[in-house]
Amino acid sequence: MSSSCAVSPSVRTELFNSIPYNRFIAPARPFQYHRSKCVMNRRDFAFRGVAAAGLSVVGSSLATEPVQGIERLQFKPEGYNFWTWRGHKIHYVVQGEGPAVVLIHGFGASAFHWRYNIPELAKKYKVYAIDLLGFGWSEKALVEYDAMVWKDQVVDFLKEIVQEPTVLVGNSLGGFTALVAAVGLPEQVVGVALLNSAGQFGNANSEPEKSDEETVLQKFILKPLKEVFQRVVLGFLFWQAKQPARVESVLKSVYKNTSNVDEYLVDSITMPAADPNAGEVYYRLMTRFMSNQTKYTLDSVLSKMSCPLLLLWGDLDPWVGPAKANRIKEFYPNTTLVNLQAGHCPHDEVPELVNKALLEWLSTSTPEASLQTV
């Protein structure tokens, strides 16, 4: 981000520096996919958050052919099913019969991002894919967003809709949401699979002390000016990211296999931006939510979890490389690691490999018998 952007450089090193706002905005220069690191300047960082909110695309020239030989979920502009949670409208897809598997998307995406996984998994399992509050076809609620909001949403979804032992599968932000939900409902969650998950290791109690008092200058002059400045800057970035060439370039920077960047994917990310509250939700995510994540760490969550864990890791991800997967496996021994030659979204880049690995793990590490009885 440029020096005029609201998010400080330190925020990038906190819990969600690897996901959300990093996902759908193209850098000034093309990324080079290396296993070790990815150099990203501050302006690039800001733009990724803008696109993740879901922006308009007009006159796209992207290819529309599905991945050959793999069934694809039908795209419905009106959505599939809806559930009311705490007064908010929540969208979800459900297909198949059998033990329950719940898919949780990443920042800026939706249930439709599991387009190549739902039909295949549904041949043996009852598959749910949910849109987190503020994303996809779910309501763009004007609430104070926090990782625990989505944890509560998933936990209640399991209790009220699924109502049986479940395996949670999450990508990016959805991965961390799956972890905290598993800890929040251990009696129902019998397994977790992570695809390039968000989250950082660290000391959850190492936050700097904050003063209990604010000066008059801080409260009545500096804070209001900061918010106005943030709104101006982020509003400009939001507008700029609407340009079709920028959005297409961003999507292609996220995927190693750019042939999977098609109109279906673009529509599933950009259509939700038509909601009148989309801009305000984006602002809240980019300011208040992003600045309140240091207290949630992977080690603190994993230390409370007891079910089997699968890591399906795209090693070519420029933001969440294989080193993180290796560290998770080292910290949490009950882990199976599958390395894939893919970027940040392996479930949509190499769906045939992800489906095969996930189905194999479900049938061995998480026996169907355990899924069918609480």
Side-chain angles (χ1 to χ4, degrees), residues 7-285:
V7 184
S8 68
S10 63
V11 175
R12 287 179 293 180
T13 64
E14 304 301 345
L15 176 64
F16 292 105
N17 75 333
S18 60
I19 51 158
Y21 41 93
N22 288 351
R23 283 191 56 183
F24 294 113
I25 290 295
R29 296 185 301 273
F31 274 111
Q32 296 298 318
Y33 285 88
H34 296 298
R35 290 176 178 264
S36 58
K37 65 180 180 179
C38 177
V39 178
M40 175 173 63
N41 65 37
R42 299 174 68 194
R43 184 171 182 273
D44 299 338
F45 179 77
F47 275 116
R48 288 194 181 84
V50 181
L55 304 172
S56 301
V57 174
V58 180
S60 173
S61 61
L62 303 179
T64 60
E65 290 298 318
V67 174
Q68 192 172 20
I70 300 182
E71 185 179 353
R72 186 174 68 176
L73 179 73
Q74 180 184 357
F75 181 76
K76 294 184 178 181
E78 70 278 12
Y80 277 78
N81 307 282
F82 291 90
W83 162 61
T84 300
W85 177 68
R86 297 183 180 179
H88 304 302
K89 191 176 180 182
I90 302 298
H91 173 251
Y92 69 96
V93 177
V94 57
Q95 287 190 1
E97 294 296 334
V101 175
V102 174
L103 309 176
I104 309 172
H105 64 80
F107 195 104
S110 71
F112 288 110
H113 205 196
W114 302 98
R115 54 182 171 168
Y116 293 118
N117 314 109
I118 295 173
E120 187 65 23
L121 297 177
K123 293 176 182 178
K124 292 187 177 181
Y125 297 90
K126 189 169 186 178
V127 182
Y128 299 83
I130 187 172
D131 283 355
L132 297 176
L133 186 69
F135 297 110
W137 276 245
S138 287
E139 185 176 335
K140 308 303 175 291
L142 300 183
V143 301
E144 295 302 314
Y145 285 93
D146 182 275
M148 297 303 107
V149 170
W150 296 313
K151 183 268 288 184
D152 291 344
Q153 177 191 342
V154 172
V155 165
D156 289 345
F157 183 76
L158 295 178
K159 291 178 179 179
E160 297 179 23
I161 302 298
V162 182
Q163 298 184 343
E164 63 178 303
T166 309
V167 169
L168 298 178
V169 182
N171 169 237
S172 197
L173 170 64
F176 191 80
T177 301
L179 288 175
V180 292
V183 171
L185 195 63
E187 65 273 20
Q188 189 170 343
V189 178
V190 297
V192 175
L194 305 179
L195 297 91
N196 295 65
S197 178
Q200 292 291 315
F201 283 93
N203 184 353
N205 300 314
S206 63
E207 295 178 273
E209 295 183 3
K210 298 179 181 179
S211 173
D212 293 331
E213 299 181 358
E214 292 181 323
T215 66
V216 174
L217 177 65
Q218 290 173 325
K219 185 174 183 179
F220 296 105
I221 299 179
L222 297 182
K223 280 193 172 181
L225 284 177
K226 180 181 179 181
E227 181 170 347
V228 170
F229 187 63
Q230 288 174 335
R231 287 189 178 276
V232 170
V233 172
L234 293 176
F236 170 73
L237 295 177
F238 193 86
W239 169 84
Q240 191 174 32
K242 291 181 180 182
Q243 308 310 310
R246 166 64 75 177
V247 174
E248 183 173 341
S249 176
V250 166
L251 289 167
K252 289 185 176 181
S253 77
V254 175
Y255 281 57
K256 173 179 172 56
N257 178 8
T258 59
S259 65
N260 285 4
V261 176
D262 54 21
E263 289 182 1
Y264 182 115
L265 178 61
V266 170
D267 287 344
S268 72
I269 294 171
T270 62
M271 284 185 66
D275 190 289
N277 290 340
E280 177 63 21
V281 169
Y282 164 70
Y283 172 76
R284 294 185 181 206
L285 288 168

Side-chain angles (χ1 to χ4, degrees), residues 307-330:
C307 62
L309 177 64
L310 170 66
L311 304 178
L312 295 172
W313 219 263
D315 284 354
L316 304 180
D317 186 344
W319 306 301
V320 191
K324 182 193 235 179
N326 292 333
R327 188 170 180 187
I328 291 175
K329 190 175 189 303
E330 180 180 351

